[in-house]
Amino acid sequence: KRARDYGLRLGVVPAGPLNAITDVPGVRVGQITLQQGTSVRTGVTAIIPHTGNLFQQKCPAAIYIGNGFGKLTGISQVDELGTLETPIILTNTLSVPTAADALIDYTLSQPGNEQVRSVNAVVGETNDGYLNDIRGRHVTKQHVLDALRQATTGPVAEGNVGAGTGTVCFGFKGGIGTASRKLPASLGGYTVGALVQTNFGGVLQIAGVPVGVELGKYSYKENLDGSCMMVVITDAPLDARNLKRLAKRAFMGLAQTGGIASNGSGDYVIAVSTAYQIPHESKSPFDEQKVLRNDNVSPLFMAAIEATEEAIINSLFMAQTMTGDQNHNIEALPVDRVVDLLKKAGVIK
Amino acid sequence: KRARDYGLRLGVVPAGPLNAITDVPGVRVGQITLQQGTSVRTGVTAIIPHTGNLFQQKCPAAIYIGNGFGKLTGISQVDELGTLETPIILTNTLSVPTAADALIDYTLSQPGNEQVRSVNAVVGETNDGYLNDIRGRHVTKQHVLDALRQATTGPVAEGNVGAGTGTVCFGFKGGIGTASRKLPASLGGYTVGALVQTNFGGVLQIAGVPVGVELGKYSYKENLDGSCMMVVITDAPLDARNLKRLAKRAFMGLAQTGGIASNGSGDYVIAVSTAYQIPHESKSPFDEQKVLRNDNVSPLFMAAIEATEEAIINSLFMAQTMTGDQNHNIEALPVDRVVDLLKKAGVIK
Amino acid sequence: KRARDYGLRLGVVPAGPLNAITDVPGVRVGQITLQQGTSVRTGVTAIIPHTGNLFQQKCPAAIYIGNGFGKLTGISQVDELGTLETPIILTNTLSVPTAADALIDYTLSQPGNEQVRSVNAVVGETNDGYLNDIRGRHVTKQHVLDALRQATTGPVAEGNVGAGTGTVCFGFKGGIGTASRKLPASLGGYTVGALVQTNFGGVLQIAGVPVGVELGKYSYKENLDGSCMMVVITDAPLDARNLKRLAKRAFMGLAQTGGIASNGSGDYVIAVSTAYQIPHESKSPFDEQKVLRNDNVSPLFMAAIEATEEAIINSLFMAQTMTGDQNHNIEALPVDRVVDLLKKAGVIK
Amino acid sequence: KRARDYGLRLGVVPAGPLNAITDVPGVRVGQITLQQGTSVRTGVTAIIPHTGNLFQQKCPAAIYIGNGFGKLTGISQVDELGTLETPIILTNTLSVPTAADALIDYTLSQPGNEQVRSVNAVVGETNDGYLNDIRGRHVTKQHVLDALRQATTGPVAEGNVGAGTGTVCFGFKGGIGTASRKLPASLGGYTVGALVQTNFGGVLQIAGVPVGVELGKYSYKENLDGSCMMVVITDAPLDARNLKRLAKRAFMGLAQTGGIASNGSGDYVIAVSTAYQIPHESKSPFDEQKVLRNDNVSPLFMAAIEATEEAIINSLFMAQTMTGDQNHNIEALPVDRVVDLLKKAGVIK
């Protein structure tokens, strides 16, 4: 069960109907989970922002780097041009090149892209090398293409799936998590969805309750390091500049869970708007954009903070104990005990 | 009383003896409070990292910008050269030029600086224009020089003092706050001190308890905007690159309190190390630096997060209800009710 | 006489009618020159992008930092919000606070700004402390306000005027320079204007001719340090992101003249578009922007490179030998010899 | 013949003995050229900064992004940690993932790296898709590993080799180029070497002579777009912050050749110091660094500008006319005519 199913409410903005990144119309997610033998514990998560040809109809996008000890590809072109031209792939650290190569395959082979000679593949990762035989690089291009092909709207699988299959978060089993927020009509009615791949350390707190300390597992007591990939998509009409600001707020959501962005952390946020597209080619020399004024972005900032926070918590609630490479074992968050703690603190009635 | 005096413990790292930025040896703070008539509610806070001639013996330093809607001066030179060459002054938004001018006076007139022709004044601000007649620009150069002259080690006044005299935080009276963390000897024994000028919005949470919502005062319900200046000083030997990373963690501390870095926010962190100095002139072409390795900075990151969080909370606990310009009134945080909420949540026993 | 009057043609894009920043419709420049007694050699240059209330009708803008050893104020807010809300003032290093204070006066006192409580003053500088008694800080707020009041369209005075009164460039007398480029209608017909305050070092080359070496005055042989402030304004509809890219090209124009951005250099470019404004307040939650597509900005890049290059050369051609503080003397560029060198190289027929 | 063999002298700093990046002690370069059938015109260039295990003994490094329309991998980790832990590979745009994958192979398989689970592969590229069947992705991991294996000190092949096999520069055949500068002992005696992969547009000038215009081939007249990868290595003891500044100067060298960093350009500089290493693991919590003071970096800046400029010119002088994919043909720079132009301008005696 997800955090909200236990009665947990994080923040003040209401969630969307699925409480998932797929609450943003058109967004699809596909995941391939590789769990083979005793040592393969990894996978692929694909996020596709809209149903068209993404290369020909690019999305405004931005990337914020919380802590840059990571291998996210595609950063500089998104920064320079303010657009995303491929789906986003998440996988493990050493499989980033494979996934990027697959994204190139995917893009080159799409109808309409016969003349494309340059593709800015965006691939994020965290390091699942504790539970997964990461040096074996078990992710293939086909896995990535399969994740893209299977991508669908609707509910998103969480926990030990896709790129989150083998990850560890706050010393417990992490994974994929998602959540969303939907602003009321008076604030534009926009949806902000988050999807995270959690693999980081710190002092876990849930709705402020110091769960990590209570359970005796936290940075400072022991060395919990690692990374978090965050994807934030909104149907609000933001340009790249304000998407970068939105992305930074997702990182604040990570901070809310007690994340510390330790030295070894690769904490990245990719923020995308689906409100309008920027065509690869155009007869007009102009892009005509109707974008939200700076004055109106703060509620979206709140939505991004909250959706990211809840997505991280969901990844923990939904993950399950796993044994993997070298017989390494990581326990799931003991949800019953956590719920007790949350009840004692009055956070869950 | 400060938050800790009520039994509140934030985070897992122990505080320094004063729980103040002045726990870092050599750091001095001086404050001038301007509370005159019905409309002047402003002031100056000066932070001096070491007792020598700061221009001649510069500190390694870095600035992180959380949200850049603010007027902090001196950014680019600190970024380019990695050094701080003046004390740090905090004041109100429209008095930044006055304070910068005073810092130039201060620097030019120090013995040994007779040939100095360039001074990178670092002045931060938040906007106290709700309680203070900010357009009247009541801060003078003399006020700034007085704050510098009075700067002293030891306990630091908090709440409605200095640059925090007229500020508003989470809808309650904000002000100056400070706190510190001291790592155990096994982690280097370093101290990290924070001093903040709180004037920002969001959904206040204290030790995770949703105080803002409980008290019916939070962003989203109403528009709470504004800024936060944060100063973090450490005696750990960090170079400018790692100081920039440390600065970013202070911003994570702000996130922990429920800050949202709204559109109108000027959220800046100035991070300084006192562990070594970089001489303005040197016979050697080299700087010889013994700096902490990347691998060893994470505990300092935690210390910065926690010290900043607690400094913000202290600013609220220590501030008092104020009536100011145009009869505007801002209530202090109702500490008794807050303490009740914290007890109910089990955060204070 | 200006460089072009000698037959010099730099680059391939045609100049505007005035070959000045004021070729961009609506742009006004005002300058106050302070040349008093034997040691005051400084001044103020004001650039006003449009004739309305700039605070209420902000211009899209961006700042690029070539080398950040300088004191430009207003950087972070322009970066965060993508707008300029005051005129741009250039002056000497130690008078930046005075000029910023004057910009606040100017803005607060404009009709319609009665409720304004926050002003992001943008003031650039270079250090004229060799010829000018810079420690005396002879620029007053009134000088700045006078420069603003006198600002006018039409030809712009160059050389030893305004903020360029006491500057030194490539070892010769520098100063204020300006130039422009106008794209043909097929490329949009846009104008790009540049205005520079030259005070930097390197190995001067004019149209590629190694004038610095020929005249025996260049970095490496001797230590020529210093800074360059560059302002680039265009009527092309660029958003902040593409203005930042345009700004960077001005820095490439500096490189074309042989500038090296030495350690002590404060090299900044402020880029502004006058094609549309962003209102301070609006009933609509949206800004509707018709901006040039990424694909169409390269000719503007060329225009910015060339206009900046020529503005720098103009500053040298128009400056005159000056004796100043402590009897320091700086010779003007020996234009006759330079013209001979240019003729010999076939650059001038 | 290289530019210098015709008597051309660029800049004022003397070249190193080979006038190549390999003048920096320990630096090795290896190149694989793929020229097969009528349409394969691509390759790999590998640069290895020192002879040890680079992952275990990392080099201080920084990356500067001139224009970010490109696919360079590894940016954020170099930025965050200030170190390079793999050799640098240059190849074509769509083969970046293959090369990154090969760098992971290379690193994982090195003795001493048996426990390595995270590798930050640094791979740069330009787009050779006009002459090369880039969509065919003909570069294999083996090609990359071969380039690494063949890497050697000594002279470096230039022109149509390695990653420069199919590139186009200023409308002429581009390729790989290299050059170096060696400061006199009085300035530290340091060497700065540059290696470039030239594939960009603009208005070619050589020693300032407007060769592009004279030959009727330049941006503005026609659309010459594209990218430039630049690698700068020095034995001067610079930390990551000053390496970033050095990297920016290489981009100024590009500007000196008439490059305009057009919209479609991916202009990146990777700067590396070989003066000291940062061990992956250490018993000490400290790095002890003896680095050049800010005050002493300007001569290195000049060296980087000049070496990059000359490396670009060398790439043009050494490249040869090529026919490739779809029968596309690109002429080499007509060196004889160019030399005539340079003589006429007095640049070559």
Side-chain angles (χ1 to χ4, degrees), chain C residues 52-119:
Chain C
N53 181 326
L54 192 53
F55 188 89
Q56 298 296 333
Q57 296 293 329
K58 304 181 203 291
C59 285
I63 293 173
Y64 174 73
I65 302 178
N67 195 62
F69 195 151
K71 281 68 178 178
L72 177 64
T73 67
I75 295 173
S76 68
Q77 186 165 319
V78 171
D79 240 37
E80 187 77 36
L81 303 180
T83 54
L84 178 77
E85 65 187 27
T86 68
I88 299 162
I89 298 293
L90 308 181
T91 186
N92 75 60
T93 307
L94 296 184
S95 294
V96 168
T98 300
D101 220 17
L103 274 178
I104 294 175
D105 282 2
Y106 170 86
T107 301
L108 295 188
S109 66
Q110 275 195 302
N113 293 354
E114 292 75 12
Q115 300 308 317
V116 171
R117 286 182 171 71
S118 171
V119 179

Side-chain angles (χ1 to χ4, degrees), chain A residues 18 20-32 44-55 57 59 84-90 103 106 110-111 144-157 176-178 193-196 231-234 272-274 277:
Chain A
L18 296 169
I21 198 169
T22 43
D23 282 326
V24 181
V27 173
R28 288 173 294 154
V29 175
Q31 308 198 66
I32 294 294
V44 177
T45 297
I47 301 119
I48 313 183
H50 71 65
T51 50
N53 181 326
L54 192 54
F55 187 89
Q57 298 292 328
C59 285
L84 177 77
E85 65 187 26
T86 68
I88 298 162
I89 299 293
L90 308 181
L103 274 178
Y106 171 86
Q110 276 196 302
V144 177
L145 294 171
D146 287 348
L148 287 162
R149 194 168 304 118
Q150 294 177 17
T152 177
T153 58
V156 175
I176 295 295
T178 189
L195 184 147
V196 298
V231 177
V232 173
I233 307 187
T234 183
V272 181
S273 169
T274 62
Q277 277 89 48

Side-chain angles (χ1 to χ4, degrees), chain A residues 109-192:
Chain A
S109 66
Q110 276 196 302
N113 294 352
E114 293 74 12
Q115 301 309 317
V116 171
R117 286 181 170 72
S118 170
V119 178
N120 188 47
V122 173
V123 181
E125 52 77 36
T126 69
N127 199 308
D128 54 20
Y130 185 75
L131 289 170
N132 178 45
D133 168 28
I134 193 171
R135 290 173 57 104
R137 282 181 281 166
H138 300 283
V139 172
T140 64
K141 292 212 286 185
Q142 194 55 51
H143 292 134
V144 177
L145 294 171
D146 287 348
L148 287 162
R149 194 168 304 118
Q150 294 177 17
T152 177
T153 58
V156 175
E158 295 173 296
N160 303 4
V161 294
T165 301
T167 62
V168 181
C169 187
F170 291 112
F172 302 102
K173 185 66 191 68
I176 295 295
T178 189
S180 73
R181 290 296 181 269
K182 186 166 172 40
L183 295 179
S186 61
L187 295 173
Y190 304 115
T191 298
V192 177

Side-chain angles (χ1 to χ4, degrees), chain A residues 71 76-77 105 118 137 268, chain D residues 71 76 105 118 137 268:
Chain A
K71 282 67 178 176
S76 67
Q77 187 166 320
D105 281 3
S118 170
R137 282 181 281 166
Y268 301 86
Chain D
K71 283 65 179 178
S76 68
D105 283 1
S118 171
R137 282 182 280 165
Y268 301 86

Side-chain angles (χ1 to χ4, degrees), chain B residues 177-214:
Chain B
T178 189
S180 73
R181 290 296 181 269
K182 185 165 172 42
L183 296 179
S186 60
L187 295 172
Y190 304 115
T191 298
V192 176
L195 183 146
V196 298
Q197 174 193 22
T198 64
N199 194 43
F200 63 98
V203 184
L204 174 61
Q205 53 186 48
I206 299 180
V209 179
V211 169
V213 172
E214 296 282 350

Side-chain angles (χ1 to χ4, degrees), chain B residues 222-239:
Chain B
E222 54 194 301
N223 186 15
L224 303 175
D225 210 337
S227 303
C228 191
M229 278 300 314
M230 295 161 264
V231 177
V232 173
I233 308 187
T234 183
D235 54 3
L238 298 181
D239 62 9

